[in-house]
PDB file of all heavy atoms in Angstrom:
ATOM      1  N   LYS I  43     -43.698 -63.929   1.990  1.00  0.00           N
ATOM      2  CA  LYS I  43     -43.856 -65.290   2.506  1.00  0.00           C
ATOM      3  C   LYS I  43     -42.540 -65.802   3.068  1.00  0.00           C
ATOM      4  O   LYS I  43     -42.500 -66.420   4.145  1.00  0.00           O
ATOM      5  CB  LYS I  43     -44.357 -66.210   1.389  1.00  0.00           C
ATOM      6  CG  LYS I  43     -44.613 -67.642   1.843  1.00  0.00           C
ATOM      7  CD  LYS I  43     -45.142 -68.478   0.684  1.00  0.00           C
ATOM      8  CE  LYS I  43     -45.392 -69.921   1.111  1.00  0.00           C
ATOM      9  NZ  LYS I  43     -45.915 -70.739  -0.014  1.00  0.00           N
ATOM     10  N   ARG I  44     -41.473 -65.554   2.338  1.00  0.00           N
ATOM     11  CA  ARG I  44     -40.153 -65.994   2.801  1.00  0.00           C
ATOM     12  C   ARG I  44     -39.629 -65.075   3.908  1.00  0.00           C
ATOM     13  O   ARG I  44     -38.884 -65.494   4.781  1.00  0.00           O
ATOM     14  CB  ARG I  44     -39.164 -66.031   1.634  1.00  0.00           C
ATOM     15  CG  ARG I  44     -39.463 -67.150   0.627  1.00  0.00           C
ATOM     16  CD  ARG I  44     -38.363 -67.290  -0.392  1.00  0.00           C
ATOM     17  NE  ARG I  44     -38.397 -66.252  -1.426  1.00  0.00           N
ATOM     18  CZ  ARG I  44     -37.452 -65.344  -1.615  1.00  0.00           C
ATOM     19  NH1 ARG I  44     -36.385 -65.309  -0.820  1.00  0.00           N
ATOM     20  NH2 ARG I  44     -37.543 -64.450  -2.579  1.00  0.00           N
ATOM     21  N   ASN I  45     -39.976 -63.789   3.815  1.00  0.00           N
ATOM     22  CA  ASN I  45     -39.671 -62.773   4.827  1.00  0.00           C
ATOM     23  C   ASN I  45     -38.239 -62.859   5.345  1.00  0.00           C
ATOM     24  O   ASN I  45     -38.016 -63.106   6.537  1.00  0.00           O
ATOM     25  CB  ASN I  45     -40.657 -62.881   5.990  1.00  0.00           C
ATOM     26  CG  ASN I  45     -40.672 -61.608   6.844  1.00  0.00           C
ATOM     27  OD1 ASN I  45     -40.127 -60.589   6.457  1.00  0.00           O
ATOM     28  ND2 ASN I  45     -41.291 -61.702   7.999  1.00  0.00           N
ATOM     29  N   PRO I  46     -37.247 -62.642   4.464  1.00  0.00           N
ATOM     30  CA  PRO I  46     -35.849 -62.766   4.903  1.00  0.00           C
ATOM     31  C   PRO I  46     -35.522 -61.785   6.020  1.00  0.00           C
ATOM     32  O   PRO I  46     -35.730 -60.583   5.905  1.00  0.00           O
ATOM     33  CB  PRO I  46     -35.062 -62.446   3.623  1.00  0.00           C
ATOM     34  CG  PRO I  46     -36.015 -61.676   2.760  1.00  0.00           C
ATOM     35  CD  PRO I  46     -37.373 -62.202   3.071  1.00  0.00           C
ATOM     36  N   GLY I  47     -35.034 -62.335   7.105  1.00  0.00           N
ATOM     37  CA  GLY I  47     -34.607 -61.505   8.225  1.00  0.00           C
ATOM     38  C   GLY I  47     -35.728 -60.784   8.935  1.00  0.00           C
ATOM     39  O   GLY I  47     -35.491 -59.833   9.684  1.00  0.00           O
ATOM     40  N   GLY I  48     -36.960 -61.207   8.716  1.00  0.00           N
ATOM     41  CA  GLY I  48     -38.085 -60.536   9.359  1.00  0.00           C
ATOM     42  C   GLY I  48     -38.322 -59.129   8.862  1.00  0.00           C
ATOM     43  O   GLY I  48     -38.896 -58.295   9.565  1.00  0.00           O
ATOM     44  N   TRP I  49     -37.919 -58.853   7.614  1.00  0.00           N
ATOM     45  CA  TRP I  49     -37.964 -57.480   7.091  1.00  0.00           C
ATOM     46  C   TRP I  49     -39.380 -57.036   6.747  1.00  0.00           C
ATOM     47  O   TRP I  49     -39.744 -55.881   6.941  1.00  0.00           O
ATOM     48  CB  TRP I  49     -37.064 -57.387   5.855  1.00  0.00           C
ATOM     49  CG  TRP I  49     -36.842 -55.970   5.402  1.00  0.00           C
ATOM     50  CD1 TRP I  49     -35.868 -55.120   5.841  1.00  0.00           C
ATOM     51  CD2 TRP I  49     -37.609 -55.246   4.443  1.00  0.00           C
ATOM     52  NE1 TRP I  49     -35.980 -53.908   5.213  1.00  0.00           N
ATOM     53  CE2 TRP I  49     -37.037 -53.961   4.344  1.00  0.00           C
ATOM     54  CE3 TRP I  49     -38.711 -55.548   3.654  1.00  0.00           C
ATOM     55  CZ2 TRP I  49     -37.540 -52.975   3.491  1.00  0.00           C
ATOM     56  CZ3 TRP I  49     -39.218 -54.579   2.807  1.00  0.00           C
ATOM     57  CH2 TRP I  49     -38.645 -53.310   2.716  1.00  0.00           C
ATOM     58  N   PHE I  50     -40.195 -57.934   6.221  1.00  0.00           N
ATOM     59  CA  PHE I  50     -41.530 -57.569   5.744  1.00  0.00           C
ATOM     60  C   PHE I  50     -42.522 -57.550   6.913  1.00  0.00           C
ATOM     61  O   PHE I  50     -43.192 -58.524   7.212  1.00  0.00           O
ATOM     62  CB  PHE I  50     -41.991 -58.531   4.647  1.00  0.00           C
ATOM     63  CG  PHE I  50     -41.268 -58.326   3.345  1.00  0.00           C
ATOM     64  CD1 PHE I  50     -40.029 -58.916   3.130  1.00  0.00           C
ATOM     65  CD2 PHE I  50     -41.801 -57.520   2.363  1.00  0.00           C
ATOM     66  CE1 PHE I  50     -39.354 -58.718   1.939  1.00  0.00           C
ATOM     67  CE2 PHE I  50     -41.129 -57.308   1.162  1.00  0.00           C
ATOM     68  CZ  PHE I  50     -39.900 -57.905   0.955  1.00  0.00           C
ATOM     69  N   THR I  51     -42.618 -56.397   7.554  1.00  0.00           N
ATOM     70  CA  THR I  51     -43.486 -56.238   8.698  1.00  0.00           C
ATOM     71  C   THR I  51     -44.803 -55.582   8.275  1.00  0.00           C
ATOM     72  O   THR I  51     -44.904 -54.975   7.205  1.00  0.00           O
ATOM     73  CB  THR I  51     -42.818 -55.361   9.761  1.00  0.00           C
ATOM     74  OG1 THR I  51     -42.617 -54.041   9.209  1.00  0.00           O
ATOM     75  CG2 THR I  51     -41.477 -55.934  10.188  1.00  0.00           C
ATOM     76  N   LEU I  52     -45.802 -55.690   9.129  1.00  0.00           N
ATOM     77  CA  LEU I  52     -47.090 -55.058   8.849  1.00  0.00           C
ATOM     78  C   LEU I  52     -46.949 -53.543   8.756  1.00  0.00           C
ATOM     79  O   LEU I  52     -47.651 -52.895   7.963  1.00  0.00           O
ATOM     80  CB  LEU I  52     -48.096 -55.422   9.942  1.00  0.00           C
ATOM     81  CG  LEU I  52     -48.623 -56.866   9.930  1.00  0.00           C
ATOM     82  CD1 LEU I  52     -49.528 -57.098  11.140  1.00  0.00           C
ATOM     83  CD2 LEU I  52     -49.380 -57.149   8.629  1.00  0.00           C
ATOM     84  N   LYS I  53     -46.052 -52.973   9.512  1.00  0.00           N
ATOM     85  CA  LYS I  53     -45.834 -51.523   9.477  1.00  0.00           C
ATOM     86  C   LYS I  53     -45.298 -51.080   8.121  1.00  0.00           C
ATOM     87  O   LYS I  53     -45.653 -49.999   7.627  1.00  0.00           O
ATOM     88  CB  LYS I  53     -44.868 -51.121  10.593  1.00  0.00           C
ATOM     89  CG  LYS I  53     -44.651 -49.627  10.701  1.00  0.00           C
ATOM     90  CD  LYS I  53     -43.731 -49.302  11.870  1.00  0.00           C
ATOM     91  CE  LYS I  53     -43.501 -47.792  11.970  1.00  0.00           C
ATOM     92  NZ  LYS I  53     -42.599 -47.451  13.112  1.00  0.00           N
ATOM     93  N   ARG I  54     -44.450 -51.906   7.513  1.00  0.00           N
ATOM     94  CA  ARG I  54     -43.864 -51.545   6.229  1.00  0.00           C
ATOM     95  C   ARG I  54     -44.769 -51.885   5.045  1.00  0.00           C
ATOM     96  O   ARG I  54     -44.580 -51.370   3.942  1.00  0.00           O
ATOM     97  CB  ARG I  54     -42.519 -52.270   6.052  1.00  0.00           C
ATOM     98  CG  ARG I  54     -41.429 -51.730   6.957  1.00  0.00           C
ATOM     99  CD  ARG I  54     -40.189 -52.581   6.895  1.00  0.00           C
ATOM    100  NE  ARG I  54     -39.082 -51.958   7.632  1.00  0.00           N
ATOM    101  CZ  ARG I  54     -37.979 -52.573   7.999  1.00  0.00           C
ATOM    102  NH1 ARG I  54     -37.821 -53.858   7.707  1.00  0.00           N
ATOM    103  NH2 ARG I  54     -37.037 -51.930   8.657  1.00  0.00           N
TER     104      ARG I  54
END
Side-chain angles (χ1 to χ4, degrees):
K43 183 179 179 180
R44 290 188 283 116
N45 198 12
W49 191 87
F50 288 84
T51 63
L52 287 176
K53 184 177 179 180
R54 289 172 173 165

